[in-house]
Amino acid sequence: MAFFGKVKNTINLLKNIDLDQLAKINKQIDLAEAMKTLGNLDENQLKGLMKMLKTKRRKGQHDLPPIDGDFYNLDLKLTPEQRDLQLKVRTLMEDEVRPLINDHWNRAKFPFEVIEMFKKLNIAGIPYEGYGCPNLPFLMEGIIAQEIARVDVSISTFFGVHSGLAMGSIYLCGSEAQKEEWLPQMQKLEKIGAFGLTEPNVGSGVAGGLETTCSFDGENWVLNGQKKWIGNATFADVIVIWARDEATNDVKGFLVRKENPGFKAEKMEDKMALRIVQNALITLTDCKVPESDRLKKADSFKDTANVLRMTRAGVAWQAVGCARGAYESALKYTKKREQFGRPIASYQLIQDHLVEMISNLTAMQTLCFRLSELQDQGLLKDEHASLAKVFCSMRMRDVVSRAREVMGGNGILLEYDVARFVADAEAIYSYEGTKEINSLIVGRAITGYSAFVS
């Protein structure tokens, strides 16, 4: 009887099977292996599988557009080689760097393995000519700053300080011997640089109020004073220190090595932003620097300003990257998060926030793209870079705020990344010139009147 029962069940099974459909499935998967796997599932697992297979896609959940913050397709303006480099940086940041970030940000530690990862990309000193540097357009320096900041602003800041401020100071203000000594090693990330301008009592007023002094004793330059908020300084091999000459009152630049006597760098703790960046309070106590390590083409603050003008565009691009990372994270979240049986991305109020975000982001991107074109054409002025810093840092704040808002309570969790972008945006808003100082630079350019305190 058992035999006839099995035969009857088999006949009934064959009547209900679409043999053509079965043949089609067999071409796509190993049917025998699939049957074996199904046979090993328990009752609850089988019920769950059937429920999933029977569930119809909800309206709005199919053929969704990709998550891409480049709404105007500015990447189409890049050459194939430039686009390839952009994607290499993006891949490394997504696949190798992103998994490290939240843990290190939470513990305020720097992931030194990132330096080894970056060595493979050959991107340090992007716009410089010679000394092993790529000599690519300034546009690519901006694109790379955006791509790094899109995943983490701290890592972008580390790279900008090293490749932009430190290498840039040597490239613009150093002697040929100084360039030959430092730039090839820094380009390969074998030596790491830092940039010491800001002081405990002097931020926006550095043009006329540096308290760090230097004096020549006939053999060495002797530096005294403090520098604050100096990124990379806890582990950098060379720190560019700007000091006021006691004899002439001129601003001079020095290459201070970490082993120089009288140099001390203490890590700053308890930051709410850029927690991965190792900022230091530097104390210079009769720190002796040989004449050979004085930047030979740095004799006034105008020379310092040349470095800041060149790198300020990169900070505007960092703001773009921060905003883009927050926007893309929020958009991804709203497509997956459901309330009242629908993805929250399908609701009008959420879409309004998302449109405001992509509008701001697109305006920031197009402004920075043109800024970099001016820089590559040799037409960049202080007010151009300052306008980009002002606008992008303000719009970035709005984007990250809206990203946090559409994510509700989850927006304050590191798990979803946006909380980190919200915190780090506050640092971008302040460094490389505050909103007020950069506004006055632009205001002076468009009115002809200087509103700076003399």
Side-chain angles (χ1 to χ4, degrees), residues 397-436:
R397 260 182 160 185
D398 188 76
V399 171
V400 300
S401 175
R402 290 177 185 273
R404 179 259 176 274
E405 186 165 344
V406 300
M407 295 177 75
N410 285 332
I412 68 171
L413 293 175
L414 275 181
E415 174 187 355
Y416 295 97
D417 296 329
V418 166
R420 176 164 44 81
F421 287 120
V422 171
D424 290 345
E426 291 304 301
I428 294 179
Y429 185 75
S430 296
Y431 67 41
E432 285 267 7
T434 62
K435 184 261 184 185
E436 290 76 15

Side-chain angles (χ1 to χ4, degrees), residues 10 17 19 25 44 189 197 231 241 250 275 304 306 325 330 352 368 399 407 440:
T10 301
I17 289 179
L19 295 178
I25 294 173
N44 289 330
L189 293 166
L197 178 61
I241 296 290
D250 292 329
R275 290 175 56 78
T304 318
N306 288 337
D352 182 65
C368 283
V399 171
M407 295 177 75
L440 293 181

Side-chain angles (χ1 to χ4, degrees), residues 36-60:
K36 182 179 178 181
T37 301
L38 287 171
N40 291 329
L41 297 179
D42 60 30
E43 183 178 354
N44 289 330
Q45 288 173 322
L46 282 170
K47 287 181 179 179
L49 178 61
M50 289 306 298
K51 183 178 179 181
M52 182 186 72
L53 292 174
K54 289 180 178 179
T55 300
K56 294 181 179 179
R57 289 179 175 176
R58 293 188 180 95
K59 184 179 180 181

